[in-house]
Amino acid sequence: MSAQRNILITGGDAFMNSPRQLSEILDAVIEMAQAKRRDNEEREEGERFEEMRRVRLGTKIPVYLPQRVTAELVEMLRAFKERASGVGIEECIVQTHISTAMEITRETQAAVARLLAAGWAVTNQEVFTVAASRRGHSAKLRKTLNDIGIEFREQLVP
């Protein structure tokens, strides 16, 4: 999947925005996706723009401030996913940045469960280090994250 079909919202941490602010950002994503679709209707085959297919939100909030994954945030994310599917966005992903299994608490597990219940996939972007790999920390992290529903995927954007 090409980069033009993906959008990553981060800028520090997407979930540091209030649900209202994040909703406004995601509304703009839907407007951009709709505009691309409309523009493509007037273009010839081979001249069309790539349409958005995946939205990712980068965050460490499920680890550092899991209490920010509130019912209000989860409902906003659920509603966005529903609207997004109507404009061709097929995947909505919360991209966590968890480095070690020791960061995962019951509160983190609960926050992840709420995100999954909203219909969003949760994946992890790990920084690989030689020391962590040699000591088995990466393997332990993968297992722990898989146990709570966080997926590992290969690089999402080439």
Side-chain angles (χ1 to χ4, degrees), residues 27 42 62 101 112 117 128-129 146:
D27 287 346
E42 299 174 14
V112 169
F128 287 98
T129 64
N146 284 332

Side-chain angles (χ1 to χ4, degrees), residues 125-137:
Q125 180 178 339
E126 177 188 4
V127 176
F128 287 98
T129 64
V130 173
S133 295
R134 284 189 182 148
R135 294 187 185 117
H137 293 267

Side-chain angles (χ1 to χ4, degrees), residues 68-97:
R68 285 188 64 97
V69 183
T70 62
E72 181 185 7
L73 174 64
V74 168
E75 175 54 29
M76 184 276 298
L77 292 172
R78 187 206 56 74
F80 169 80
K81 185 175 187 327
E82 188 175 296
R83 288 188 338 238
S85 67
V87 296
I89 296 172
E90 300 163 353
E91 283 190 291
C92 294
I93 301 168
V94 174
Q95 180 80 52
T96 62
H97 304 286

